Amino acid sequence: MRIRRYCVRWVAILACAALSGACAAPSPSEPGAAREPAGQQDTEVAEPDGPALPPLHPAIDDLDETVVTIVSADGDEVEVDAKVAATDAERRRGLMEVTRLPSGTGMLFLFDDARRGGFWMWNTLIALDIAFVADDGTVHTVATMVPCEADDPAACPTTGPDAPYVAALEVPGGWFDEVGVAPGARMSWTDPATTG
């Protein structure tokens, strides 16, 4: 899937150059080693051009990006190109005001320590799936969240995990069910690549 997207980009660049002579090539990002949760040592090299998310919202478009790999209990593998929310401010904003999140894209929330707090959908305009990930890389909780239209954020419900987590991944609502991601799946991600 990643190789096909890489080839499609280069075909588009060559076609664009042939037609107009004025298209810029995408800037390459630094490849990174795969990030395995807590104590795992296996590494892999990210593809040379790194993740490539479309513009989602000006407030988050410059966030670092990563490629998240999810392996189901059955051994099926899917990848998600994700923005990375690693600071308090980035995590608080999340995907607020994003009006469209393409299939296979999302946001990875990273935390320094295991936590149990939930996520809410105040000022969020689209339904999202969320997967909570333990420090060993196991997905233990998957849920679908719907937008909260309340003016007061305190009136919005929270979606919490079944156990402590060190990361959470949000994707378009219903996507996890479509691709077969459920509790028991394993998740890893590449080192974030700077987009700006």
Side-chain angles (χ1 to χ4, degrees):
M1 178 193 294
R2 307 286 302 157
I3 292 171
R4 184 176 69 231
R5 185 168 38 221
Y6 183 76
C7 291
V8 168
R9 280 191 198 134
W10 282 107
V11 168
I13 290 166
L14 292 174
C16 191
L19 293 174
S20 68
C23 293
S27 59
S29 59
E30 295 291 323
R35 194 272 190 201
E36 293 285 343
Q40 297 179 7
Q41 300 299 323
D42 295 337
T43 60
E44 66 182 50
V45 177
E47 71 181 78
D49 61 341
L53 283 159
L56 299 175
H57 188 280
I60 63 171
D61 285 339
D62 287 338
L63 292 180
D64 289 348
E65 296 179 10
T66 186
V67 177
V68 179
T69 301
I70 308 168
V71 181
S72 73
D74 296 335
D76 295 329
E77 184 176 302
V78 293
E79 289 183 342
V80 176
D81 289 331
K83 291 292 184 183
V84 177
T87 68
D88 286 341
E90 292 166 355
R91 291 186 293 255
R92 273 193 305 272
R93 176 159 192 66
L95 292 169
M96 285 182 178
E97 300 174 341
V98 170
T99 58
R100 182 177 172 274
L101 190 61
S103 178
T105 66
M107 178 172 276
L108 180 67
F109 296 79
L110 298 177
F111 300 89
D112 294 329
D113 299 304
R115 55 179 285 125
R116 291 192 72 107
F119 282 60
W120 64 5
M121 293 287 284
W122 182 71
N123 204 18
T124 305
L125 307 177
I126 56 174
L128 298 170
D129 282 355
I130 188 166
F132 294 93
V133 186
D135 63 359
D136 68 353
T138 303
V139 173
H140 57 66
T141 309
V142 175
T144 298
M145 306 181 295
V146 296
C148 174
E149 297 179 7
D151 291 332
D152 179 5
C156 293
T158 59
T159 299
D162 294 334
Y165 63 96
V166 295
L169 177 66
E170 291 181 345
V171 296
W175 192 77
F176 283 147
D177 191 44
E178 287 175 26
V179 299
V181 173
R186 304 278 303 167
M187 190 182 296
S188 61
W189 48 90
T190 58
D191 288 337
T194 303
T195 62

